[in-house]
Amino acid sequence: MSSPVPDSGSPSLPPPSQSPRKSPPPAYARAANSPPRSPIPPSPPVAPNRAAPAPAPAVTLGSTVAKSVAGVDGRAAERRFIAAPQSVRQRPWPVRAAIGLRVVALLLCMIAFSVMASDKTEGWAGDSYDRYEEFRYLVGVNVIAFVYSLYQVYERIHRMTTMSSLISRPLRYYFDLTMDQILAYLLMSSSSAAASRNDAWASTFGSDAFTRKAKGSITVSFIAFFVFALSALISAHNLFR
């Protein structure tokens, strides 16, 4: 018995137990139906607030040296304008005495050569200091001592304000001691020569305004000699201490 042959012209129907398979929607439909995405990514979870120790700063040799140099420069700038006046009082007594002796020597030498240089009288019995070699010798030595004392005063002020010396320390001590001894000897020599000449004039012709003025200049020059002698002792103390 032959089975019936289905008609090839009629469409085939799925069996009733099977449902028709749905085809997937196109890509543009999926994009339209999907929710929009945010361009900003979600923030990470916030950790609890715990005080974490700060990392220790790295200490290097260069930074330490730079800080120390900066500190030294700042302290030096303050020391120039603030601590300089106080440093004079804090110095030992030989240094303070040397500063005072330099100022006194400066004034004495200026008075000595100024008085002698002005010792001139007019008239038929007039006289002048420049006629006598001893008086010119005293004026020249006191001028040299005045210039040297002026340099010493300037050097002290420069050292206290800038904390630096014009001459290095060992050489400065030798220079001070040598010049103090030489000028002390010259002041004694010139004052003695001028005093001898002035006494001879006064004993021969009598005392007058010319001899009295010369005597005053010689006296001041003798005092300047003692000041330079004390300065030489202090210079020797600074050299051999």
Side-chain angles (χ1 to χ4, degrees):
M1 182 174 182
S2 63
S3 59
V5 178
D7 190 2
S8 59
S10 62
S12 61
L13 298 177
S17 60
Q18 296 180 357
S19 61
R21 184 177 298 177
K22 297 181 179 180
S23 62
Y28 66 89
R30 290 197 305 267
N33 296 330
S34 61
R37 296 182 180 179
S38 175
I40 302 175
S43 60
V46 179
N49 187 9
R50 296 179 181 178
V59 180
T60 59
L61 180 60
S63 62
T64 305
V65 172
K67 292 179 180 179
S68 62
V69 170
V72 169
D73 292 342
R75 289 192 296 271
E78 294 178 358
R79 187 164 54 247
R80 291 179 182 177
F81 300 98
I82 299 176
Q86 298 179 357
S87 62
V88 179
R89 297 190 297 268
Q90 297 174 356
R91 293 176 181 271
W93 69 266
V95 178
R96 290 178 292 175
I99 297 174
L101 290 174
R102 299 301 182 188
V103 176
V104 173
L106 175 69
L107 298 176
L108 291 176
C109 293
M110 182 180 62
I111 294 173
F113 78 77
S114 299
V115 172
M116 183 61 76
S118 64
D119 191 8
K120 297 178 181 180
T121 57
E122 298 178 356
W124 65 272
D127 210 342
S128 177
Y129 83 97
D130 54 2
R131 296 181 181 178
Y132 306 96
E133 183 180 359
E134 295 84 358
F135 293 163
R136 295 197 305 269
Y137 179 32
L138 184 139
V139 171
V141 170
N142 278 274
V143 168
I144 296 174
F146 169 78
V147 174
Y148 170 73
S149 300
L150 183 63
Y151 161 77
Q152 286 290 345
V153 172
Y154 170 76
E155 199 274 338
R156 299 283 178 172
I157 297 175
H158 179 271
R159 194 188 313 171
M160 289 186 297
T161 54
T162 63
M163 298 300 170
S164 62
S165 180
L166 298 177
I167 306 176
S168 59
R169 180 169 296 179
L171 183 60
R172 185 179 75 239
Y173 292 154
Y174 283 105
F175 174 76
D176 293 347
L177 179 59
T178 303
M179 291 300 298
D180 289 341
Q181 289 180 337
I182 292 175
L183 289 175
Y185 169 78
L186 291 176
L187 285 170
M188 172 59 76
S189 174
S190 61
S191 301
S192 300
S196 300
R197 179 63 183 177
N198 192 59
D199 291 341
W201 177 273
S203 61
T204 304
F205 301 101
S207 179
D208 57 1
F210 179 80
T211 56
R212 286 192 297 268
K213 204 168 186 179
K215 185 178 181 179
S217 175
I218 294 168
T219 303
V220 176
S221 183
F222 267 117
I223 299 175
F225 155 73
F226 287 107
V227 173
F228 270 91
L230 293 176
S231 298
L233 293 178
I234 296 178
S235 299
H237 169 76
N238 294 332
L239 179 61
F240 298 109
R241 65 180 175 179

